[in-house]
Amino acid sequence: MTSSLTETDLARLRDAIAVSKNSVEHGNHPFGAVLVDAAGTVVLEAENTVVTGNDCTGHAETNLVRLAWQAFGPEKLAEYSLYTSCEPCAMCSGAIYWSGISRMVFAMSEAELGEITGDHVENPTMSLTSSVVLNSGQREIVVLGPALSAEAREAHAGFWS
C-alpha cells in the first residue's frame, strides 16, 4: 500500500536504502533503517550487523529499536516513524511493536526479498508479513509499503549469489 506515502516518506526510504548499501560496505547484509521524529527529521540510523557483530539478532530494525528505546523511550517513540529498506521480519516486527513506534514504512517486501535470496542459508525468509505481526497486539501500528522496491533491490544485486 503506497497511496498514503508523501515525498518526505520517499526521501526517508531512500535514506534507509543508503544505509543498507553502507551495511554491505561494512561487511554485513544489505539492510538499513532510519528513525524519524514527528517533524520528519532523521534522529537515528542503523544497519545490519549480523556478520560483524556475530549476532543473529543484529538486524537493522532491531539495532535501531535498541538505540531508540535507550535514547527516547516509549512515550516519544509513539510519535516517531521507522523507515526500512526491506519489510521487517517477524523478530524485527515484534521489536518495533514492543518499542511503541507507531508507524513503519518499508521499501521492498519480504516476498520480494524471498525471490532474491531463494533458500540462501543466511536469509531463511519467512512467509509472514510485518502487518500481521505489528497489528496482532493491543495497539494499531500504521504499516506502509512496499515502495521503491527497485531502488531497494540495488543493494542486494549480486549479494546473495
Side-chain angles (χ1 to χ4, degrees):
M1 170 178 161
T2 58
S3 61
S4 301
L5 294 178
T6 66
E7 288 303 316
T8 299
D9 288 328
L10 296 176
R12 297 301 71 85
L13 278 175
R14 287 185 174 103
D15 291 339
I17 292 167
V19 174
S20 76
K21 292 175 181 177
N22 290 339
S23 182
V24 173
E25 291 175 12
H26 296 138
N28 289 292
H29 299 145
F31 303 101
V34 298
L35 185 69
V36 175
D37 66 15
T41 304
V42 175
V43 294
L44 285 174
E45 65 178 44
E47 57 189 50
N48 180 287
T49 58
V50 168
V51 176
T52 58
N54 194 30
D55 178 0
C56 66
T57 68
H59 294 193
E61 299 89 351
T62 54
N63 289 339
L64 187 70
V65 165
R66 284 185 196 105
L67 293 170
W69 181 267
Q70 293 168 356
F72 305 109
E75 290 174 12
K76 272 291 207 202
L77 291 178
E79 303 169 7
Y80 288 15
S81 295
L82 185 149
Y83 293 84
T84 182
S85 62
C86 188
E87 183 174 13
C89 70
M91 174 186 70
C92 293
S93 295
I96 293 165
Y97 175 83
W98 287 108
S99 74
I101 294 169
S102 62
R103 186 171 182 267
M104 189 274 297
V105 184
F106 65 92
M108 182 173 50
S109 72
E110 183 82 354
E112 291 172 289
L113 178 63
E115 292 171 8
I116 295 171
T117 63
D119 63 354
H120 197 286
V121 68
E122 290 183 36
N123 195 54
T125 304
M126 301 174 122
S127 296
L128 182 63
T129 66
S130 58
S131 61
V132 168
V133 176
L134 289 168
N135 288 302
S136 293
Q138 296 178 2
R139 59 187 184 80
E140 186 177 335
I141 298 172
V142 175
V143 177
L144 299 171
L148 305 179
S149 295
E151 293 180 35
R153 281 178 174 259
E154 292 173 9
H156 295 263
F159 185 86
W160 302 103
S161 50

